[in-house]
Amino acid sequence: MHNVALVALVLLPLIGSVVVFALPKQDVKLAKQVALVFSLAVVVYAIVIAANFDTKGARFQFVGSWTWIKALGVHLSFGVDGIALVLVLMSVILVPAVILASWNSFDSRRDAEETNAPKRSVKNYFGLLLLLEFFMIGVFTATDVFLFYVFFEAMLVPMYFIIGSFGGPRRSYAAMKFFLYSLVGGLLMLASVIGLYVTAGKSTFSFTELIGAVPDGPTQKWLFLGFFIAFAIKAPLVPFHTWLPDAGAEAPAGGAALLVGVLDKVGTFGFLRYCLPLFPGASRYFAPTILILSVIGILYAAFLAIGQRDMKRLVAYTSVAHFGFIGLGIFAFTTQGGTGAVLYMVNHGFSTGVLFLVVGLLIARGKSRNVADYGGAAKVAPKLAGVFLLAGLSALALPGMSTFVSEFLVLVGTFTRHKGLAVLATTGIILAAIYVLWLYQRTMQGTVNEKVRKFKDLNAREAFAVGPLIAIIIFLGVYPKPIIDIINPAVKSTLQNVHQTDPPPASGTAIGGVK
């Protein structure tokens, strides 16, 4: 099998990154332009691939495989199912938005001095964004477990430098904490990858060939835990979440948008792609505990978000709560819950991505992350306030926004099996309304703060950065069917791997268009 479609998609941002890094240090504007052109080319190519994806065809499509380490049966294998495809699309669409939003973020020496930011090469930031995109696409499209692990670990490097070199005052601490947490999870996963290879006895790391290869029993449970903890740290799922508020707060706004919007999805993607199919018995065994942790995460993180004074930490905590909903949908073992969880991953990526970018635009103007410093901003910058409001309404899952559809499916899918947990999780919707609307009220309404009197409203570049994301959020809120049709077959295949079927419906009517 030598289909090169996905290989070309994976390599395109890598080539762009090399070109940007090779440019002279003083060619900052050219570096930005090259990064933007390559990121847009990746978007166009990904859309072409998506347009040719057959929702009624084989689960994995555009499959290509080449021998890498013959003695171990390791291959450079790539392929996408519906779950991976929508996550790839979400990832590549966010990158050009981040590039546009970050266009002037590190150009002013005065701003760097005021924010205690490092005086690093601006072009390196944009080169790191493209390098990170290369790893993000690779981790979602790899169908060889060993290759997935390589991409999974390699993602740490560009994000570590994005946080550590271009972040806020506590960037070194946040970058190291992010790196160590992820590294510990990765080492546990490596041990399980080796154990999977030995236990399966197949001399291959092919994902499809390893499904069902590990017999149910204690060994499967230990292997599951190695993968699960690594993914739970990456997601992050409570109680493995403590690195995210620090990393999200100290990372530059664009880096935070990709960190929470994309990198964290690798964890929840890993639950679906690897934990459930490879270790079905262990997945069923640990599911009750994971569901309880997910509900705790929804409530605990929401209460912490309400008490935050730092805007970026507040957004980071909202994401921990949202990942609780995703974990709930995955381990409810229903088609509606699983489809809602994948849709939630996509919608959360766009919603939190644009929220971080808008917060970044506010901080760039006010030179402060403190919520109290931005009172009355809507009277000075109404367009910026309008985008902030739409992003916030998406974060609280208002009907008509894309997140509402995914949250509704998760809760309905969970309710069919775990009514009590679904009811508790529903209270998270009320808490989300509190922390989002309170944030908007404190920053945008009321008396105009002296620090915001000279604010400039959104310019054309900033509007082009966040506008398409808002449009996607509204479109998927009104008409999610195209994405659901792509996701559904892969979710059903995953549930078959776990030997789970949907419980009998209370009525003959399908809910949310998912049967």
Side-chain angles (χ1 to χ4, degrees):
M1 296 178 289
H2 298 292
N3 190 322
V4 298
L6 288 179
V7 175
L9 180 65
V10 172
L11 292 179
L12 190 55
L14 177 62
I15 295 170
S17 177
V18 172
V19 172
V20 171
F21 282 127
L23 293 173
K25 186 176 182 179
Q26 63 273 17
D27 287 343
V28 174
K29 184 176 181 180
L30 180 59
K32 298 174 184 177
Q33 293 170 340
V34 170
L36 181 60
V37 168
F38 269 94
S39 67
L40 291 174
V42 173
V43 172
V44 172
Y45 190 24
I47 291 174
V48 171
I49 288 178
N52 287 278
F53 185 84
D54 183 4
T55 57
K56 297 181 180 179
R59 177 178 177 181
F60 288 97
Q61 300 179 31
F62 309 105
V63 175
S65 182
W66 296 264
T67 300
W68 183 17
I69 307 175
K70 188 175 182 180
L72 297 177
V74 179
H75 290 77
L76 297 172
S77 298
F78 300 91
V80 290
D81 61 359
I83 298 171
L85 180 62
V86 295
L87 291 174
V88 168
L89 286 172
M90 179 265 293
S91 305
V92 301
I93 290 172
L94 277 176
V95 172
V98 167
I99 291 174
L100 281 172
S102 306
W103 201 262
N104 296 325
S105 295
F106 310 103
D107 289 350
S108 172
R109 181 178 297 274
R110 180 177 59 84
D111 288 350
E113 292 171 353
E114 289 177 356
T115 58
N116 193 29
K119 298 179 179 64
R120 290 295 186 94
S121 169
V122 175
K123 77 176 182 68
N124 285 351
Y125 174 77
F126 294 92
L128 287 169
L129 289 180
L130 289 178
L131 183 61
L132 182 61
E133 184 178 27
F134 159 67
F135 291 127
M136 291 188 305
I137 298 173
V139 81
F140 289 131
T141 57
T143 55
D144 183 280
V145 178
F146 187 86
L147 180 63
F148 169 83
Y149 172 76
V150 171
F151 280 118
F152 181 85
E153 288 289 77
M155 283 192 308
L156 302 180
V157 178
M159 183 52 71
Y160 171 81
F161 285 108
I162 287 173
I163 299 172
S165 297
F166 301 93
R170 300 178 70 241
R171 57 189 176 274
S172 297
Y173 167 77
M176 185 57 65
K177 190 174 183 180
F178 159 76
F179 189 83
L180 290 177
Y181 268 67
S182 300
L183 186 62
V184 169
L187 291 174
L188 289 173
M189 181 177 163
L190 177 59
S192 287
V193 168
I194 296 171
L196 175 65
Y197 180 82
V198 173
T199 304
K202 287 181 172 287
S203 300
T204 182
F205 284 96
S206 171
F207 165 73
T208 54
E209 293 186 35
L210 289 174
I211 293 176
V214 180
D216 197 4
T219 300
Q220 186 183 117
K221 290 182 176 68
W222 283 110
L223 295 178
F224 170 89
L225 286 175
F227 276 86
F228 173 78
I229 293 175
F231 295 144
I233 291 173
K234 182 72 74 177
L237 193 68
V238 171
F240 306 99
H241 68 288
T242 56
W243 64 268
L244 180 60
D246 292 309
E250 300 303 324
L258 293 179
L259 174 66
V260 180
V262 181
L263 264 69
D264 291 352
K265 304 303 184 303
V266 175
T268 48
F269 169 77
F271 292 155
L272 272 170
R273 169 60 63 82
Y274 295 98
C275 287
L276 269 60
L278 296 181
F279 315 109
S283 298
R284 295 191 300 270
Y285 177 82
F286 288 107
T289 302
I290 298 169
L291 290 170
I292 292 171
L293 289 176
S294 297
V295 173
I296 291 173
I298 293 170
L299 304 178
Y300 170 74
F303 279 115
L304 288 179
I306 292 172
Q308 293 302 308
R309 297 180 179 180
D310 183 317
M311 285 192 292
K312 292 175 75 176
R313 288 184 72 88
L314 190 155
V315 177
Y317 274 117
T318 68
S319 296
V320 176
H322 293 152
F323 286 122
F325 280 106
I326 297 172
L328 201 65
I330 292 172
F331 286 93
F333 297 139
T334 63
T335 303
Q336 288 170 335
T339 300
V342 178
L343 190 60
Y344 212 133
M345 294 183 216
V346 176
N347 294 333
H348 177 265
F350 290 127
S351 174
T352 304
V354 72
L355 195 55
F356 260 119
L357 293 181
V358 174
V359 166
L361 296 177
L362 274 176
I363 294 173
R365 288 161 167 79
K367 307 297 184 291
S368 171
R369 303 196 314 231
N370 193 335
V371 174
D373 290 336
Y374 293 91
K379 298 175 183 178
V380 180
K383 295 178 183 177
L384 180 59
V387 173
F388 195 6
L389 178 60
L390 289 173
L393 294 177
S394 176
L396 63 81
L398 183 78
M401 300 292 181
S402 58
T403 43
F404 170 76
V405 181
S406 45
E407 199 164 280
F408 180 78
L409 287 173
V410 165
L411 291 173
V412 170
T414 304
F415 189 82
T416 57
R417 287 191 187 276
H418 309 280
K419 293 180 175 60
L421 292 177
V423 170
L424 284 174
T426 303
T427 61
I429 300 174
I430 301 171
L431 297 174
I434 294 173
Y435 60 66
V436 169
L437 295 178
W438 196 21
L439 171 64
Y440 183 80
Q441 181 188 36
R442 287 182 291 171
T443 55
M444 298 293 147
Q445 301 298 313
T447 305
V448 178
N449 191 296
E450 287 298 325
K451 290 189 176 183
V452 306
R453 288 190 180 278
K454 296 182 179 180
F455 269 20
K456 294 181 179 180
D457 211 344
L458 282 180
N459 59 37
R461 171 183 56 80
E462 293 167 342
F464 276 115
V466 299
L469 303 183
I470 294 293
I472 291 172
I473 289 169
I474 295 174
F475 175 80
L476 292 180
V478 176
Y479 189 62
K481 186 178 183 299
I483 300 295
I484 290 177
D485 287 344
I486 294 174
I487 296 170
N488 230 357
V491 170
K492 289 181 178 179
S493 296
T494 302
L495 290 179
Q496 290 173 0
N497 296 146
V498 194
H499 312 298
Q500 292 288 312
T501 57
D502 289 328
S507 66
T509 304
I511 301 176
V514 182
K515 298 181 179 180

